[in-house]
Amino acid sequence: MGGFVSIPIGTFIGVQPELLYSQKGYKSSGTFLGTSYSMTRTTDFLDIPIYFVVKPVDNISLLFGPQYSYLLKRTDDFTGGSLSATDIQTYTNDNLRKNIFGLAGGLDINIDHLIIGLRAAWDTTTNNGDGTSYTPRYKNMWYQATLGYRF
């Protein structure tokens, strides 16, 4: 769920910042000392991609650019043998420099006011907010389908 603004720079190029709410996560399972376990992590993010847009033809837009993601909430569900636990952490991110930086790209098909889009993105760096950053061991990579209406 989200919104965007298209800012034309010329006939064939422009900039398109977006604001999106997204959920990402993973599942894992295995066996430890003969007992099966499973773990699910779900993360809620506020994603802000800033796309450079190229329109090779009237109804097609190609998008590519950086994406900043701010962690809002993380939920961990663990089940192992007779144990079950859920941990929910809500984050207040007052430091705008603390984020996850990624790259995103996609394709939009524009039919009058209707927009059909496909996107892909992946995390590249986690910024700690104090001027340091690191490459995360586990990186989110996702695909997105978009159906929208342009006013």
Side-chain angles (χ1 to χ4, degrees), residues 118-130:
L118 297 173
R119 307 271 201 295
W122 52 98
D123 295 341
T124 59
T125 306
T126 297
N127 298 310
N128 296 320
D130 60 2

Side-chain angles (χ1 to χ4, degrees), residues 13-137:
I13 61 172
V15 176
Q16 182 171 307
E18 297 184 356
L19 183 63
L20 307 167
Y21 169 80
S22 65
Q23 283 192 330
K24 305 167 191 171
Y26 65 89
K27 294 180 181 184
S28 65
S29 61
T31 304
F32 182 72
L33 299 175
T35 303
S36 296
Y37 69 88
S38 66
M39 200 284 201
T40 303
R41 173 170 285 171
T42 305
T43 51
D44 296 10
F45 282 94
L46 179 63
D47 293 328
I48 305 169
I50 302 172
Y51 292 115
F52 175 71
V53 181
V54 176
K55 295 180 100 179
V57 294
D58 257 353
N59 296 333
I60 304 289
S61 298
L62 302 173
L63 306 102
F64 182 78
Q67 176 168 299
Y68 298 92
S69 299
Y70 297 94
L71 181 60
L72 301 172
K73 184 172 87 170
R74 182 177 83 192
T75 304
D76 294 329
D77 290 311
F78 176 82
T79 304
S82 61
L83 298 174
S84 180
T86 298
D87 180 38
I88 300 173
Q89 295 180 8
T90 303
Y91 297 91
T92 301
N93 191 354
D94 295 333
N95 185 351
L96 294 179
R97 291 177 45 190
K98 186 174 183 178
N99 59 58
I100 298 175
F101 175 78
L103 297 174
L107 168 83
D108 281 348
I109 300 170
N110 306 292
I111 305 167
D112 291 323
H113 294 284
L114 182 67
I115 301 168
I116 302 167
L118 297 173
R119 307 271 201 295
W122 52 98
D123 295 341
T124 59
T125 306
T126 297
N127 298 310
N128 296 320
D130 60 2
T132 63
S133 63
Y134 66 94
T135 301
R137 183 173 173 198

